[in-house]
Amino acid sequence: MSATPSSVERPAAAPPGAQAPQEGAATRTQIRGSSLLLVGRVLSLAVNFLTQVLIARYLSKTDFGVFAYGLSLVTLGEIATRLGLDSAVARFLPLYHERGEYGKVFGTILLALASVLTLGLAVMLIAIGVSGGDVTRGQEVTVVLILVALGPITALDDLVAGALAVFSKPRAIFFRRYVVAPGLRLAAIVLVMLASLGVQELALGYVLAGGLGVILYLVLLLEALRTEGVLRHFDRRGLSFPGRRLYGFALPLLAADLVIALINTVNVFMLKHFGNAADVASYRVVWPAGRLNQFVMDSFALLFTPMAARLLARGDRDGTRDIYWVTAAWMAVFAFPVFALTAVFSGPVTVSLFGARYADSAAIMTMLAVGYYFKAALGFNSLMLRVHGLVRYVVLISVGALAANIVLGLVLIPPFGAIGAGIATMATLILHNVAMQAGLRRGTGISAFDPHQRRVYLVVLAAVAVLVAIQVLAHPGIVAAIVLAGLASAAVLSATRSSLRVGDTFPELLRVPLLRRILA
């Protein structure tokens, strides 16, 4: 399918007397809210890391393995239960809200919640059926059966978070997702330790923490609907359930999400088949660090889709183009410190984190960092295509990327091992996003590259060139590498401040003398 503008859902005409939004206002809202969520994500990572350390130290190695195995199954249950409905809600809810179609607003929320609850119950019943319903068969079965409930709970959590993001409530999301959620999990392990309990009680604590979080999210969503004046439009007789449109959008995206997940794992399977466990370790040990270049992108994604959908509903093409490229530029700059460390200084970073025995994995970290940073710096091309209804194009390109990854893996992994897997992953990520960018231009009218943001990308390239030269000539250690990455990141931010509109987006930063010198 070609991504042509004819396949894009046409926005409804603006209501009579509606005022055009102030230019750039949507972009400022997106950047400010997403930056708050980025800070929250950093705090959440720190608390989750502490929680993981406590669990690993408290439980025996066998119990920890059982708990980790159960959590790995939670991800599959979450994807199956969520069914892509979180993306569908983030896309259609703001469209219906902008058009004043409140029957569809409430119908969409209720239908999505009912679907996730029904699928979640089915997943739990299937798990009980597979186990024979006998929780006395062993501790592993018991823990897994308890944690299975966490999959539907997490799916509900994602769904309600997406709905809350539609009404631009980043502070509520920050509090619930990045303060309450990790805090409840930390409290669970602390209580288990104080009471000298075991892995089964820890699993139950995780499930209860997740359930409390969902209840809090629902309260926050109801409050958001009330403060936005949406709740007063609720009419049971006027409810409309756009199931065909919702599922027609969500189900293909489920396939696309599964394909992307396979891209991240298929090279590991081939490494194991053509090589050995050491090859898998060489690749897998640096994969999280390489993917960390998507850290900023993941934080900005939650608010982007509903904001872009609102702009589409208003027919605001200039606003849509602005929010896309300014957000992409912010992600390129915010992710630069991670990129500098994982791509340019991958050698000292790899040895410092994992030891000298993994020194050869530094090259793989560089390749993964390049691929994931390239994806982040190009912006939300896949999300924008989804917002414009070009779901089939997204699915076809994703399937094509998986096929390309398999071919590259078959060609490169047998002779080169883990290095070949790194090359295959990097090439796949670049090809996938180039194809998405081409579809973006044809299907949405957004240019494949915005000349207004040229300065940002040239500055980033110049900074990388300087750091590479220093690395080649001086071979700095880990401490010097961190200092150099920090200085280069400050220089990049200072040199791109006009393109990013930092002073306009965060005027409060200009009150700090040191920051004012950098940003003003």
Side-chain angles (χ1 to χ4, degrees):
M1 172 186 172
S2 61
T4 59
S6 61
S7 62
V8 177
E9 182 177 346
R10 302 298 180 189
Q19 297 293 323
Q22 182 182 358
E23 184 179 1
T27 303
R28 285 194 296 273
T29 300
Q30 156 71 11
I31 298 299
R32 286 182 65 89
S34 296
S35 299
L36 176 64
L37 297 186
L38 177 61
V39 173
R41 197 175 183 89
V42 172
L43 295 174
S44 176
L45 279 176
V47 176
N48 286 335
F49 178 75
L50 174 61
T51 302
Q52 285 295 106
V53 169
L54 290 176
I55 292 174
R57 286 183 173 273
Y58 177 72
L59 297 178
S60 68
K61 193 171 184 179
T62 301
D63 285 350
F64 181 76
V66 170
F67 187 73
Y69 176 74
L71 286 181
S72 67
L73 296 179
V74 168
T75 303
L76 295 177
E78 177 191 353
I79 294 175
T81 305
R82 196 173 60 221
L83 208 67
L85 287 170
D86 55 330
S87 297
V89 166
R91 196 246 178 179
F92 288 111
L93 204 58
L95 290 176
Y96 298 144
H97 184 220
E98 284 290 323
R99 297 170 181 172
E101 299 175 349
Y102 292 104
K104 291 183 178 179
V105 168
F106 291 107
T108 297
I109 294 174
L110 294 175
L111 182 60
L113 289 174
S115 299
V116 170
L117 286 171
T118 302
L119 287 170
L121 179 61
V123 167
M124 288 189 289
L125 290 176
I126 290 173
I128 293 173
V130 170
S131 69
D134 185 5
V135 297
T136 65
R137 290 172 58 187
Q139 177 175 261
E140 182 175 340
V141 173
T142 304
V143 171
V144 169
L145 285 177
I146 294 173
L147 287 176
V148 160
L150 198 57
I153 288 173
T154 306
L156 274 174
D157 194 270
D158 292 338
L159 184 66
V160 181
L164 197 60
V166 169
F167 301 100
S168 297
K169 299 298 180 183
R171 291 186 179 180
I173 297 171
F174 172 89
F175 173 72
R176 160 60 188 88
R177 174 165 284 191
Y178 300 124
V179 177
V180 174
L184 287 173
R185 287 192 291 268
L186 179 59
I189 179 59
V190 170
L191 290 175
V192 167
M193 293 173 65
L194 291 175
S196 299
L197 301 175
V199 64
Q200 296 180 22
E201 290 78 12
L202 178 60
L204 183 60
Y206 259 54
V207 171
L208 292 176
L212 288 173
V214 169
I215 293 172
L216 178 57
Y217 249 157
L218 289 171
V219 172
L220 292 173
L221 178 60
L222 287 173
E223 179 62 20
L225 293 173
R226 187 189 65 80
T227 56
E228 291 293 321
V230 177
L231 207 55
R232 68 171 181 266
H233 295 283
F234 179 79
D235 181 5
R236 187 174 59 184
R237 293 169 298 180
L239 287 176
S240 177
F241 300 97
R244 184 175 181 180
R245 175 170 289 183
L246 206 63
Y247 294 127
F249 184 85
L251 290 176
L253 289 183
L254 174 63
D257 291 340
L258 288 174
V259 166
I260 297 300
L262 285 174
I263 290 176
N264 292 330
T265 57
V266 69
N267 287 331
V268 175
F269 296 145
M270 284 193 282
L271 276 172
K272 185 67 172 67
H273 177 74
F274 293 111
N276 51 47
D279 292 325
V280 174
S282 295
Y283 174 83
R284 188 66 186 177
V285 72
V286 294
W287 181 81
R291 195 188 179 281
L292 200 60
N293 285 273
Q294 267 193 209
F295 172 69
V296 178
M297 191 178 199
D298 294 339
S299 300
F300 276 47
L302 186 60
L303 299 181
F304 181 84
T305 299
M307 186 64 73
R310 287 190 183 279
L311 294 172
L312 174 65
R314 298 170 187 167
D316 187 356
R317 293 190 175 184
D318 291 337
T320 301
R321 182 175 60 253
D322 186 69
I323 195 175
Y324 181 89
W325 278 112
V326 174
T327 301
W330 274 85
M331 291 191 299
V333 172
F334 272 29
F336 180 80
V338 175
F339 180 67
L341 288 171
T342 56
V344 181
F345 300 119
S346 58
V349 169
T350 301
V351 173
S352 298
L353 289 177
F354 310 113
R357 58 179 176 162
Y358 286 109
D360 292 341
S361 296
I364 301 171
M365 181 187 288
T366 295
M367 296 171 196
L368 295 174
V370 169
Y372 282 111
Y373 184 77
F374 184 84
K375 178 180 180 180
L378 278 183
F380 290 114
N381 43 37
S382 177
L383 289 184
M384 187 61 81
L385 288 169
R386 297 180 185 198
V387 167
H388 281 73
L390 300 172
V391 176
R392 186 177 300 176
Y393 182 86
V394 172
V395 174
L396 289 177
I397 294 300
S398 300
V399 172
L402 176 60
N405 186 68
I406 293 174
V407 171
L408 289 169
L410 291 174
V411 172
L412 296 172
I413 290 176
F416 301 112
I419 293 291
I423 297 172
T425 303
M426 178 181 68
T428 299
L429 289 169
I430 292 175
L431 290 172
H432 181 249
N433 281 278
V434 167
M436 287 291 186
Q437 207 73 7
L440 185 75
R441 182 175 183 177
R442 295 186 61 189
T444 69
I446 298 174
S447 60
F449 183 76
D450 185 4
H452 295 95
Q453 302 300 333
R454 184 187 299 114
R455 179 182 180 85
V456 172
Y457 296 98
L458 289 177
V459 168
V460 168
L461 288 174
V464 170
V466 171
L467 292 178
V468 169
I470 295 174
Q471 168 64 18
V472 171
L473 296 173
H475 302 290
I478 184 62
V479 175
I482 293 173
V483 172
L484 288 168
L487 292 174
S489 301
V492 167
L493 178 59
S494 179
T496 59
R497 62 191 183 278
S498 59
S499 298
L500 300 179
R501 311 169 198 166
V502 177
D504 185 35
T505 306
F506 295 101
E508 59 271 23
L509 296 181
L510 301 182
R511 301 170 191 163
V512 181
L514 179 60
L515 292 178
R516 184 166 61 245
R517 289 187 178 186
I518 298 175
L519 303 176

